[in-house]
Amino acid sequence: MAFQKAVKGTVLVGGGALATILGLSQFAHYKRKQVNLAFVEAADYVSEPVNREPPSREAQILTLKNTTEFDVLVIGGGATGSGCALDAVTRGLKTALVERDDFSSGTSSRSTKLIHGGVRYLQKAIMKLDIEQYRMVKEALHERANLLEIAPHLSAPLPIMLPIYKWWQLPYYWVGIKLYDLVAGSNCLKSSYVLSKSRALEHFPMLQKDRLVGAIVYYDGQHNDARMNLAIALTAARYGAATANYMEVVSLLKKTDPQTGKERVSGARCKDVLTGQEFDVRAKCVINATGPFTDTLRRMDDKNAAAICQPSAGVHIVMPGYYSPESMGLLDPATSDGRVIFFLPWQKMTIAGTTDTPTDVTNHPIPSEEDINFILNEVRNYLSSDVEVRRGDVLAAWSGIRPLVTDPKSADTQSISRNHVVDISESGLITIAGGKWTTYRSMAEDTINAAVKAHNLNAGPSRTVGLFLQGGKDWSPTLYIRLVQDYGLESEVAQHLAATYGDKAFEVAKMASVTGKRWPIVGVRLVSEFPYIEAEVKYGIKEYACTAVDMISRRTRLAFLNVQAAEEALPRIVELMGRELNWNDSKKEEELETARKFLYYEMGYKSRSEQLTDRSEISLLPSDIDRYKKRFHKFDADQKGFITIVDVQRVLESINVQMDENTLHEILNEVDLNKNGQVELNEFLQLMSAIQKGRVSGSRLAILMKTAEENLDRRVPIPVDRSCGGL
């Protein structure tokens, strides 16, 4: 069956005529009122959730097993699949959702974290007079406003700077950005504005100032993507959808239509990945919302189905927060090869990306060193020469696979539209493919509309515009203050809980352990430099977390922020999860190993650790080698050629510094390349060489040894003749 294009837009002539009749100011007021009424009407039309809390996974699986037939079975637990489940269940349809891995485990947790209309798509729409691209931007801007409305705790507007280095570009980009505001209309977050060179440097002091003419600032939205996806799935569960992660579709069920004699898809054979148990889930309608795996499921229905998705890999890196201002992003509209790079503050860190290259579909995409270095080189072009952009400052990296809809013969992923399509196969399988994160809700609406029509389902119109997601309804910007006052949490932790769980943050706070300190009273951190607390592990299990990877990457975002910190937190996380889920020692060890493998390959730890290996070259000046040898020998007092924990403890005690043995072991282990329990001179010189080249940063051993050396040098004995003879 031919594709049904699913891109809605405003009719330009009709809007223009209405504007002429009412006058521009009255027209704007009318549009604003119309949007607000849509929010109120939609929210009031939906009945209250049937569950105060989402049922347990075990209860959901029983529902999947025991329900004779669902109206809708959604396969895929990303943003689009979860959105389909929420749209269907709030229309009164009996709904099921199954996901092979965890909710948001794929593309939906690996985005640029932006909720945006697409500035560059608008540029293409204007340059090519492409009405379809224009409609997509218009739709996305409406969805941007809605998403900021329904999940205020997880999203917020973000100003993004477009630096200008040529005078002619200033009016060119200004017109384009103003058109972006104009298309948004009443959904415009805040008007864009122009900055002089000096003002631009005030807002973004680390910007490259040579040849800088000025800058344009516009607004888009930013969110916590994995938590947003989870909020959609949890909201669907609260409204009565039977949702289950780690539920793989083994095959599609079919039955013969007595009227036409043709086979129709009637459900799926599902396998519980955690237990291996298989059972059938029957449904009147099956929806394929599997993102990059769209064609895999379509060929499960029809082995001769043509491919409709061309996957594209997007790599992002995370750097320390000092690389960008706390509340201002940066857009590079024309990189060295024509791609767009964003440079954004997120969770007190800095995200840089993304690349856009053709790739193969895989469950475990790995960021390549080539892509990481490409992003770093582009960042260097835009930051001041005073800021040394170091490879060692890449704290995490990930690759996400975008499911672009394209002609299979096309080789250029950059020219592919992000429009979505809804396809209905001969056997009734409905596929939703393409699109982007921001438009998940309208994609879901179009999909369920198609399902209702194709399968004669008894349902009304979509009711998800203005429908608050879990945690959003009673959230306020000052909610965190109540958490501090009522529970004795640190302010930073309270702000994090409010921004992650919204009005559900109080439930997490109730689970928080007593610290034993005067302040904070409760809230034991998993790692000292991040505000994640142990209570979130217990609460994460209520949110369907089944593995340690779920916890470090999607319930918390630790793996996406700092892979080393995530690895340090892992043993405690596994211990806490094991206590709640009754894991034996073997299961705990398996979880640790799987999570470390995830960090090593999928979160960039491999690329990071390879910057210092036992094959690393030592490229230091002779004077530097002599200086570092002297530093090393202050610790290696016995001239053994290596240092151990005992040597480090001896020096630290001499300068009155106390450090526990486990911490010292961790510090030495980072540099102990051959893992023999000691750091040889050659390993130390390799470390210092890698630090000089910027391949390694934040080495605790290097900083500790430098600090100790400086303290030892300051302790010069006072001559007797200058101390009055000691009398």
Side-chain angles (χ1 to χ4, degrees):
M1 179 176 286
F3 292 138
Q4 301 172 356
K5 288 287 181 181
V7 183
K8 303 187 293 296
T10 301
V11 180
L12 297 175
V13 177
L18 186 57
T20 304
I21 295 168
L22 295 177
L24 288 176
S25 62
Q26 290 183 33
F27 176 65
H29 175 72
Y30 164 80
K31 289 295 290 180
R32 194 177 298 111
K33 184 177 179 184
Q34 187 183 50
V35 171
N36 291 338
L37 283 175
F39 282 136
V40 174
E41 180 185 3
D44 288 349
Y45 193 54
V46 181
S47 60
E48 286 297 308
V50 295
N51 302 303
R52 183 181 176 277
E53 297 294 333
S56 68
R57 182 175 182 272
E58 292 72 19
Q60 297 283 43
I61 290 174
L62 282 175
T63 303
L64 288 172
K65 285 181 180 177
N66 298 332
T67 301
T68 305
E69 186 180 50
F70 289 95
D71 293 317
V72 173
L73 168 62
V74 182
I75 302 172
T80 305
S82 299
C84 286
L86 180 58
D87 191 280
V89 75
T90 51
R91 296 193 197 200
L93 296 172
K94 194 179 292 184
T95 305
L97 168 66
V98 295
E99 160 60 42
R100 176 175 60 185
D101 205 303
D102 185 28
F103 300 115
S104 192
S105 58
T107 307
S108 295
S109 64
R110 302 169 190 241
S111 73
T112 313
K113 323 303 180 196
L114 285 178
I115 310 170
H116 64 118
V119 172
R120 60 174 173 155
Y121 304 144
L122 181 61
Q123 181 187 25
K124 288 182 180 180
I126 295 168
M127 299 296 288
K128 298 180 180 180
L129 299 177
D130 189 336
I131 190 67
E132 195 170 279
Q133 290 262 10
Y134 169 81
R135 287 174 177 167
M136 185 191 71
V137 175
K138 182 74 176 176
E139 175 189 53
L141 289 170
H142 173 266
E143 293 303 319
R144 179 188 71 177
N146 183 61
L147 199 48
L148 289 167
E149 178 86 9
I150 65 177
H153 58 304
L154 292 170
S155 59
L158 176 72
I160 300 175
M161 181 182 289
L162 186 65
I164 306 296
Y165 288 93
K166 294 178 182 177
W167 280 107
W168 67 266
Q169 291 179 334
L170 196 57
Y172 174 77
Y173 284 122
W174 182 83
V175 170
I177 294 298
K178 278 299 173 187
L179 281 172
Y180 191 60
D181 291 348
L182 189 62
V183 173
S186 60
N187 293 322
C188 181
L189 302 180
K190 191 175 179 181
S191 292
S192 56
Y193 54 92
V194 176
L195 291 174
S196 65
K197 176 178 178 177
S198 60
R199 292 285 290 161
L201 291 171
E202 278 182 33
H203 284 82
F204 211 117
M206 56 284 293
L207 198 61
Q208 170 67 261
K209 61 185 76 172
D210 297 338
R211 305 188 322 279
L212 182 68
V213 172
I216 299 171
V217 176
Y218 73 97
Y219 283 77
D220 259 326
Q222 188 178 52
H223 69 152
N224 187 337
D225 54 1
R227 293 294 316 183
M228 186 73 81
N229 190 159
L230 185 62
I232 300 166
L234 291 171
T235 306
R238 289 184 63 205
Y239 274 92
T243 61
N245 54 353
Y246 294 98
M247 190 64 61
E248 181 180 5
V249 170
V250 178
S251 61
L252 294 176
L253 305 177
K254 292 188 176 182
K255 65 180 181 181
T256 304
D257 188 329
Q259 295 181 341
T260 63
K262 293 182 179 179
E263 278 196 327
R264 305 284 288 175
V265 173
S266 60
R269 180 74 175 175
C270 296
K271 176 183 177 181
D272 186 340
V273 175
L274 302 180
T275 64
Q277 186 181 26
E278 293 188 12
F279 55 89
D280 292 339
V281 178
R282 300 197 174 274
K284 296 172 184 175
C285 169
V286 176
I287 294 173
N288 172 13
T290 54
F293 300 93
T294 291
D295 290 324
T296 302
L297 199 72
R298 290 177 73 246
R299 286 176 181 140
M300 203 178 281
D301 170 40
D302 175 7
K303 63 181 180 181
N304 297 316
I308 65 170
C309 276
Q310 181 171 322
S312 170
V315 171
H316 295 80
I317 63 175
V318 169
M319 306 175 78
Y322 56 71
Y323 271 94
S324 65
E326 195 171 321
S327 57
M328 178 73 76
L330 184 77
L331 168 64
D332 179 356
T335 61
S336 56
D337 65 354
R339 293 182 284 193
V340 171
I341 290 285
F342 284 98
F343 194 62
L344 309 167
W346 185 70
Q347 303 279 307
K348 298 188 177 180
M349 295 295 183
T350 301
I351 288 181
T354 177
T355 59
D356 193 3
T357 50
T359 187
D360 294 325
V361 176
T362 173
N363 287 325
H364 307 289
I366 299 171
S368 71
E369 187 64 24
E370 181 183 359
D371 282 331
I372 292 171
N373 283 319
F374 167 78
I375 296 170
L376 288 173
N377 287 332
E378 294 303 324
V379 168
R380 288 187 185 101
N381 292 336
Y382 272 80
L383 294 190
S384 168
S385 56
D386 295 339
V387 180
E388 184 184 356
V389 180
R390 305 179 297 182
R391 174 61 182 82
D393 283 338
V394 177
L395 305 175
W398 68 86
S399 176
I401 301 178
R402 298 190 186 99
L404 307 181
V405 182
T406 181
D407 179 342
K409 296 176 183 176
S410 172
D412 180 15
T413 62
Q414 290 172 265
S415 63
I416 298 169
S417 170
R418 265 60 173 178
N419 292 356
H420 62 273
V421 296
V422 176
D423 172 53
I424 306 175
S425 72
E426 292 294 330
S427 59
L429 175 69
I430 295 182
T431 295
I432 171 66
K436 59 181 183 176
W437 223 121
T438 306
T439 58
Y440 85 91
R441 193 212 62 81
S442 61
M443 291 166 64
E445 179 182 341
D446 293 334
T447 305
I448 303 304
N449 284 344
V452 169
K453 184 177 179 180
H455 293 272
N456 298 315
L457 303 177
N458 183 20
S462 176
R463 302 168 184 177
T464 51
V465 173
L467 177 67
F468 279 107
L469 299 182
Q470 172 152 308
K473 189 174 182 181
D474 295 321
W475 175 87
S476 74
T478 57
L479 183 145
Y480 80 95
I481 297 174
R482 289 170 54 200
L483 291 170
V484 175
Q485 294 176 336
D486 293 353
Y487 295 95
L489 289 160
E490 290 175 84
S491 182
E492 185 187 12
V493 171
Q495 288 174 328
H496 153 68
L497 294 181
T500 302
Y501 305 95
D503 58 30
K504 297 292 181 183
F506 295 99
E507 296 181 21
V508 184
K510 289 174 186 175
M511 297 179 176
S513 304
V514 175
T515 63
K517 303 176 184 177
R518 183 183 62 80
W519 190 263
I521 298 170
V522 300
V524 178
R525 295 195 184 207
L526 288 167
V527 281
S528 60
E529 67 266 43
F530 290 94
Y532 301 110
I533 60 174
E534 292 183 355
E536 293 181 77
V537 178
K538 188 174 181 179
Y539 191 79
I541 293 170
K542 294 179 65 176
E543 296 181 319
Y544 304 135
C546 299
T547 70
V549 172
D550 297 344
M551 202 64 70
I552 61 174
S553 60
R554 294 174 286 274
R555 302 310 180 280
T556 71
R557 306 312 307 275
L558 201 48
F560 282 78
L561 296 172
N562 190 314
V563 286
Q564 282 186 290
E567 187 185 40
E568 286 176 21
L570 263 178
R572 182 58 178 160
I573 287 172
V574 168
E575 181 185 341
L576 292 168
M577 290 189 77
R579 192 181 300 165
E580 295 295 319
L581 297 172
N582 298 316
W583 289 346
N584 58 28
D585 290 343
S586 175
K587 175 63 175 174
K588 289 179 185 177
E589 193 58 40
E590 179 188 335
E591 285 293 322
L592 274 172
E593 185 61 31
T594 301
R596 284 173 178 150
K597 187 176 179 180
F598 168 79
L599 291 173
Y600 189 71
Y601 290 105
E602 295 184 54
M603 288 292 112
Y605 210 160
K606 180 176 186 290
S607 294
R608 180 179 171 86
S609 64
E610 284 179 348
Q611 301 308 307
L612 180 64
T613 69
D614 54 10
R615 295 182 298 279
S616 300
E617 294 181 4
I618 299 174
S619 55
L620 295 168
L621 294 173
S623 58
D624 287 333
I625 292 177
D626 289 341
R627 178 158 53 94
Y628 293 137
K629 279 184 176 179
K630 287 177 183 177
R631 183 176 299 172
F632 184 85
H633 289 313
K634 286 185 185 294
F635 284 77
D636 180 22
D638 300 329
Q639 301 292 306
K640 305 183 297 298
F642 60 85
I643 58 176
T644 64
I645 289 177
V646 175
D647 295 318
V648 178
Q649 279 179 325
R650 175 180 50 77
V651 174
L652 292 180
E653 285 171 3
S654 71
I655 58 173
N656 298 317
V657 174
Q658 299 294 323
M659 192 171 290
D660 68 87
E661 190 171 326
N662 288 334
T663 303
L664 282 175
H665 178 74
E666 288 178 7
I667 290 172
L668 261 69
N669 194 51
E670 292 174 4
V671 187
D672 181 13
L673 302 176
N674 56 16
K675 304 304 176 189
N676 63 353
Q678 56 198 33
V679 176
E680 284 87 5
L681 174 60
N682 196 54
E683 290 174 326
F684 180 66
L685 293 176
Q686 285 174 346
L687 170 66
M688 301 314 296
S689 178
I691 289 172
Q692 275 199 8
K693 290 180 179 178
R695 294 199 305 258
V696 170
S697 66
S699 168
R700 291 186 286 180
L701 180 65
I703 293 171
L704 184 68
M705 291 178 71
K706 181 182 179 182
T707 304
E709 181 186 42
E710 290 170 349
N711 280 303
L712 288 169
D713 289 343
R714 277 198 293 267
R715 296 177 61 206
V716 179
I718 300 174
V720 173
D721 61 339
R722 295 190 58 191
S723 64
C724 301
L727 298 176

